[in-house]
Amino acid sequence: MQLKLLGLNYKSATVDIREKISFPSYNSLISGLKTLFSIVEPDEAIIISTCNRTEVICVNPKKDIIEFFSYIANIPKESMRKFTYYFEDIQVAKHLFIVASSLDSLVVGESQILSQIKDAQEVASTNKFSGLILNHLISQAIRVGKRVRTETQIGKGNLSVATVAIELANSIFGSIEKKKILVVGAGKMSKLFLKTLKNHGVSNIFISNRSKEKGIEISNEFNGKFLDFEKRFEILNEVDIVLSSTGSCDYIFPFDLVKKSTSKRAESLFMIDIAIPRDIDPKVNNLENVFLYNIDDLTKVVEKNRNKRLKEVPRVEEIIEEELKLFNHWCYLNKIIPTISRIRIGAEKIRKAEVEKTLSKLEGKLSEKEIEQIDAMTKAIVKKILHNPTVQLKRHINDKNLENIINITELLFNLNSDSLLPDFGKHKESK
């Protein structure tokens, strides 16, 4: 089994590169996975895509994952490679556990990454893109994240990209309590914005969303005023702050329309865009009365809070190492399971054949109860015969010569029929 990961994040690539390889919606993620399978041809795969990272994990890929990145971003492979990082096998698990623990997040200790990993797993698993290997790996990564948040204080204070964005707004205005604020989008990040705004005592909030039904629902939840999506430009002359986080693939605030809508403003407009791809045309920052911040600009604010949480890192790293040993053990066990299964399947076929042969010679001479006793007895004999080989194989799970031990075992038991191997989660197109 080959486990490979290729990714890029806020440390390896700027937002203008990251947005070229992002999958902000369910449909775009499904489309991305289908394209990945057609180009890279893995047995299993999953894509984790957030505003700060896109990571692709594959089991037994036949092609280099960089080909997928290059195709999606429309950037030559060698140029694309300098923005990415790469891990193989057990290092894939280690990196994913670090990500799930939030140590690799822009905001160390934030909890959103865990739900984003869960969402990625649900999409991949439901649509048969992931199987035994990745489902186990992702489930263990989620367990790492939960342990870190319950066994350490790294998440204390519930910092997130949303809270950092609001902190940035506070640092500029002194206080945002009496400011008029427009929140665009109705997803998880927008809800975090609204929750944080409420905690800061902000009451004058407008909420706009492409889906009117969802926009009204979230407006009622947070006592905001719903604004039709088409009217988002009209209100730019009134509000002080715009917080935008949608799944749009195009700018929802293009330069020309923002310029026209803000031309008569007496005071400056503060805009924060944490969407990937970006919601607000970066040229908007060139307007004299508009100040635009994107996800990368939040890094400076984050650095002030990072040191408070770094003292928890040693304990987090201990948890990661503990879980890494468990995953490594599972991987070795997974190498043995197919062999043990084939031995048992082969032995059961022989047992059944011999019982049937014997019963055919004794036709009519045995009662149903006696036949059941013979069946149970032969099953017990096979179980006892196979007990020691099974135990010995499992005892050598960490042996550096495990591959040779498996090969010799398969030779001794004449396990040469591939048809006996169970299907370990290779991707099948859902019909």
Side-chain angles (χ1 to χ4, degrees), residues 107-112 149 152-160 163-164 167 192 195-196 199-200 305 308-309:
V107 182
V108 174
E110 57 96 2
S111 59
Q112 285 70 49
R149 282 157 186 80
T152 76
Q153 295 293 309
I154 201 161
K156 192 175 182 181
N158 197 30
L159 267 184
S160 66
T163 58
V164 171
E167 187 177 328
L192 280 172
K195 186 177 179 181
T196 308
N199 290 339
H200 279 76
N305 296 298
K308 298 176 184 176
R309 300 183 175 215

Side-chain angles (χ1 to χ4, degrees), residues 79-90:
S79 298
M80 187 74 243
R81 205 180 292 276
K82 67 183 180 182
F83 299 113
T84 64
Y85 44 84
Y86 174 76
F87 297 102
E88 286 188 359
D89 301 327
I90 197 65

Side-chain angles (χ1 to χ4, degrees), residues 265-418:
R265 283 187 65 95
E267 297 179 351
S268 297
L269 175 65
F270 175 69
M271 304 183 83
I272 296 183
D273 180 4
I274 63 167
I276 296 288
R278 286 172 287 184
D279 282 342
I280 305 171
D281 188 334
K283 293 199 297 288
V284 164
N285 201 36
N286 296 328
L287 296 173
E288 187 177 350
N289 56 346
V290 179
F291 293 89
L292 172 63
Y293 296 83
N294 62 39
I295 192 74
D296 287 352
D297 294 320
L298 299 181
T299 305
K300 296 172 185 175
V301 182
V302 168
E303 287 303 320
K304 292 192 297 182
N305 296 298
R306 186 181 294 271
N307 290 336
K308 298 176 184 176
R309 300 183 175 215
L310 290 183
K311 63 180 181 180
E312 295 292 328
V313 170
R315 175 56 188 143
V316 173
E317 289 175 339
E318 284 178 15
I319 292 172
I320 290 170
E321 286 302 317
E322 289 168 12
E323 293 290 339
L324 205 56
K325 287 177 183 176
L326 291 175
F327 180 73
N328 203 30
H329 180 83
W330 182 86
C331 287
Y332 279 114
L333 186 61
N334 196 47
K335 288 182 180 180
I336 291 172
I337 287 172
T339 300
I340 293 173
S341 296
R342 292 170 73 186
I343 291 172
R344 288 175 177 169
I345 290 170
E348 178 62 12
K349 285 178 72 175
I350 293 169
R351 185 197 71 81
K352 275 188 174 181
E354 291 302 315
V355 167
E356 287 172 6
K357 188 193 298 183
T358 300
L359 292 179
S360 66
K361 293 176 182 178
L362 299 171
E363 191 174 355
K365 296 180 181 180
L366 297 174
S367 67
E368 284 296 321
K369 186 176 181 179
E370 288 171 327
I371 292 172
E372 288 175 5
Q373 288 174 334
I374 289 172
D375 192 62
M377 178 189 69
T378 54
K379 282 182 179 177
I381 291 171
V382 169
K383 187 176 179 180
K384 286 187 177 182
I385 290 172
L386 297 183
H387 176 71
N388 279 335
T390 301
V391 168
Q392 289 303 317
L393 274 173
K394 288 182 177 178
R395 277 182 183 168
H396 287 82
I397 199 167
N398 295 316
D399 196 306
K400 63 180 180 180
N401 296 314
L402 181 62
E403 294 289 347
N404 289 336
I405 293 170
I406 291 173
N407 290 335
I408 292 168
T409 302
E410 293 187 350
L411 180 66
L412 287 172
F413 282 91
N414 194 27
L415 303 178
N416 56 6
S417 173
D418 287 338

Side-chain angles (χ1 to χ4, degrees), residues 99-338:
V99 170
S101 73
S102 83
L103 286 189
D104 198 46
S105 294
L106 175 66
V107 182
V108 174
E110 57 96 2
S111 59
Q112 285 70 49
I113 186 62
L114 210 51
S115 62
Q116 289 161 340
I117 292 173
K118 286 179 184 177
D119 291 344
Q121 182 190 35
E122 185 177 353
V123 171
S125 179
T126 302
N127 294 279
K128 310 295 183 188
F129 293 108
S130 63
L132 176 75
I133 307 298
L134 288 186
N135 287 340
H136 183 90
L137 173 62
I138 299 298
S139 294
Q140 193 165 350
I142 292 169
R143 185 172 74 194
V144 169
K146 288 180 178 177
R147 282 192 64 190
V148 165
R149 282 157 186 80
T150 56
E151 297 177 28
T152 76
Q153 295 293 309
I154 201 161
K156 192 175 182 181
N158 197 30
L159 267 184
S160 66
V161 171
T163 58
V164 171
I166 303 302
E167 187 177 328
L168 178 60
N170 256 326
S171 67
I172 290 172
F173 288 98
S175 172
I176 60 172
E177 186 176 346
K178 295 182 180 179
K179 299 298 179 183
K180 287 184 181 180
I181 298 176
L182 170 64
V183 175
V184 186
K188 291 180 179 178
M189 195 58 72
S190 294
K191 286 186 176 181
L192 280 172
F193 272 143
L194 291 164
K195 186 177 179 181
T196 308
L197 289 172
K198 285 295 180 183
N199 290 339
H200 279 76
V202 181
S203 58
N204 207 348
I205 303 171
F206 295 89
I207 299 165
S208 185
N209 189 59
R210 202 182 297 273
S211 166
K212 188 173 183 178
E213 183 181 353
K214 199 170 181 181
I216 291 174
E217 181 185 331
I218 196 173
S219 297
N220 291 335
E221 183 180 349
F222 291 95
N223 297 319
K225 306 176 187 73
F226 177 72
L227 181 76
D228 284 328
F229 193 69
E230 293 74 20
K231 296 182 178 179
R232 64 192 182 281
F233 295 104
E234 296 176 18
I235 204 170
L236 292 185
N237 259 330
E238 296 181 35
V239 297
D240 302 293
I241 302 168
V242 176
L243 300 167
S244 191
S245 177
T246 75
S248 176
C249 293
D250 303 307
Y251 296 138
I252 62 169
F253 286 102
F255 175 78
D256 291 339
L257 290 175
V258 174
K259 181 180 180 181
K260 181 180 177 182
S261 303
T262 59
S263 59
K264 297 180 181 180
R265 283 187 65 95
E267 297 179 351
S268 297
L269 175 65
F270 175 69
M271 304 183 83
I272 296 183
D273 180 4
I274 63 167
I276 296 288
R278 286 172 287 184
D279 282 342
I280 305 171
D281 188 334
K283 293 199 297 288
V284 164
N285 201 36
N286 296 328
L287 296 173
E288 187 177 350
N289 56 346
V290 179
F291 293 89
L292 172 63
Y293 296 83
N294 62 39
I295 192 74
D296 287 352
D297 294 320
L298 299 181
T299 305
K300 296 172 185 175
V301 182
V302 168
E303 287 303 320
K304 292 192 297 182
N305 296 298
R306 186 181 294 271
N307 290 336
K308 298 176 184 176
R309 300 183 175 215
L310 290 183
K311 63 180 181 180
E312 295 292 328
V313 170
R315 175 56 188 143
V316 173
E317 289 175 339
E318 284 178 15
I319 292 172
I320 290 170
E321 286 302 317
E322 289 168 12
E323 293 290 339
L324 205 56
K325 287 177 183 176
L326 291 175
F327 180 73
N328 203 30
H329 180 83
W330 182 86
C331 287
Y332 279 114
L333 186 61
N334 196 47
K335 288 182 180 180
I336 291 172
I337 287 172

